[in-house]
Amino acid sequence: MSSILLNRVTSSGGCDGIRLCNFCLKTHGRFTYRSLHIHPDRQSKESFGGTDGGDLHQREYSYFYRVLESLPKNRSLAFAYGSGVFKQAGRAWTRNSMSDFIIATDDPGSWHKENLEKNPSHYPHILRMLGGDVISRLQTDYGANIYFNTLIPFEDGLIKYGVISTQHLVSDLLDWETLYVAGRLHKPVNILEIDRQNGHLVDGLTTNLNSAIHTAFLQLPQRCDEKELYLNLAGISYMGDLRMIVGEDKNKVVNIVEAQIQLFKQLYNKRLQTFNEYVQIENGIMTQDTSEEGRHYHLSMLPRCLQQKLVDEWNKDSRERDVEEVMFLAARDPHLSTQTIRRGIGEIVQKSSTPQAIKGLVTAGPVKATAYSAAKLKKMIKSLMK
């Protein structure tokens, strides 16, 4: 089975050099997506990267497409993620587990207007009254530039879906402006649809994964096991997240990696081979080049917003050093640069996730907000009691 990394398919059906997902593909118009019918004999657990769900398997893959079919079509990207898609250690999957989706669209206003006509019950009453333009502004102007509808009954289960503009998504992937969606894509997801003609989007998805690797290397010692690398990669988007203090399973990152270790390998192993000048992985042990030259290489490849955090730190003495000079100075000071990277990630995440959480109380409505918060608190208390 090939990896979950994004791929692009040419009009003739061949690969253009970017690797494809772990399913066969069909192309319909501008969209490329995994086929539901090429390997009907595959078990659900195999379809989700080989994770063993025991007697409680994840949703059949066609369920996710039925969800998409119920929503407006003008999508540039759609993916499913979370514990309703992939098993997490310590969490039994049931048919009442919520399946989470992120949908990107070029025109959020039109998307919400159409969705209000198709699925008015997905929105709280007050937002239905205000209309698609207000919902779009609420999405794009506050928090992490994403709007969620949650606790939506679908067939015999529940779904949650977030809507983000393609422009905001690409900015987050390239620059880590919020790390809200970019961070989710550091972990295994099921990409259901992608506009393969949008080169900025495809390149952004690739750059985002590379940025995560550079960031992880700068926080890790010269020698560590492979699992520690994946824990670092999975944990980037949770640094500074208010929900990790109140409302989330305290063992969330460990639970994700322990149950999905093979999926992380599929997602990152071939990509890591392109870093062979700076890192070697043998028998599950990673050895990296932590010299000044090696650190400078990783620092120079960090996303813009994280580099700016380093520039701000080194210019606290009121000097006006540019990015290039700061990256050289940061490479010479591993302790301060690592501290600044971790603090910088936390600031980026907190700045977006806290107002996004507050926005979620509005977009969910009082009843759903109470139910959703109660479920999160229950998970947190359960994890603390272990």
Side-chain angles (χ1 to χ4, degrees), residues 39-50:
H39 302 295
D41 58 324
R42 283 185 174 176
Q43 296 295 317
S44 176
K45 65 179 182 179
E46 295 170 349
S47 298
F48 289 95

Side-chain angles (χ1 to χ4, degrees), residues 176-232:
W176 286 13
E177 290 186 345
T178 70
L179 265 173
Y180 203 87
V181 178
R184 279 162 174 72
L185 287 160
H186 295 159
K187 298 172 279 292
V189 302
N190 268 325
I191 293 178
L192 304 168
E193 288 183 349
I194 179 171
D195 179 355
R196 60 190 177 87
Q197 295 180 351
N198 190 327
H200 294 297
L201 176 58
V202 173
D203 292 343
L205 287 158
T206 300
T207 298
N208 180 49
L209 288 173
N210 287 337
S211 294
I213 294 172
H214 291 297
T215 303
F217 284 160
L218 288 164
Q219 299 178 79
L220 291 169
Q222 182 179 21
R223 184 179 174 86
C224 68
D225 63 42
E226 194 174 3
K227 180 181 175 181
E228 190 172 352
L229 169 62
Y230 299 140
L231 287 169
N232 196 289

Side-chain angles (χ1 to χ4, degrees), residues 321-334:
R321 302 175 181 89
D322 60 19
V323 174
E324 184 177 359
E325 182 179 0
V326 168
M327 295 308 108
F328 277 109
L329 293 172
R332 297 171 190 166
D333 193 337

